[in-house]
Amino acid sequence: MKSNFSKILDSEIPVLIDFYADWCGPCKMLAPILKEVKEELGEKVKIVKIDVDKNQELASKYQVRGVPTMILFKKGEQKWRQSGVLSKEEIKKKISALH
């Protein structure tokens, strides 16, 4: 997972990482919003969901203290980070700013 994860983050296309947990209510609210973002932006973004309980090392590496936490990367560089649930429009705006 780790070497693949670095390759994913190095993408020219913005990569939105969604750190979530199955037991987290707000994470369940965010999931359909991210699905709509992906449907609307298509190939302009990659969205990767990371379960913090199954990937504690990654969550720790990125200092994820609460879920959901979204981190947006482009070419391996962190461009934006936000905890909590945001609207589809807010998320799309952040992604589109990187194009």
Side-chain angles (χ1 to χ4, degrees), residues 16 33-34 36-41 45 47 70 72 80 86-99:
L16 181 67
I33 295 170
L34 290 179
E36 285 180 29
V37 167
K38 179 61 179 164
E39 284 169 5
E40 290 182 23
L41 293 180
V45 66
I47 297 178
M70 293 175 281
L72 188 59
W80 173 76
L86 293 178
S87 74
K88 176 179 69 174
E89 294 309 317
E90 288 174 295
I91 296 168
K92 282 173 53 181
K93 202 181 294 178
K94 293 295 180 188
I95 294 166
S96 298
L98 295 182
H99 282 283

Side-chain angles (χ1 to χ4, degrees), residues 35-76:
K35 190 174 184 211
E36 285 180 29
V37 167
K38 179 61 179 164
E39 284 169 5
E40 290 182 23
L41 293 180
E43 297 303 310
K44 292 181 183 167
V45 66
K46 290 181 185 172
I47 297 178
V48 180
K49 293 179 74 62
I50 303 286
D51 184 331
V52 293
D53 292 327
K54 293 182 181 140
N55 297 284
Q56 291 176 346
E57 220 174 279
L58 272 178
S60 171
K61 179 180 177 183
Y62 291 101
Q63 299 172 346
V64 174
R65 304 271 183 262
V67 285
T69 294
M70 293 175 281
I71 305 179
L72 188 59
F73 291 88
K74 186 167 184 184
K75 297 181 188 168

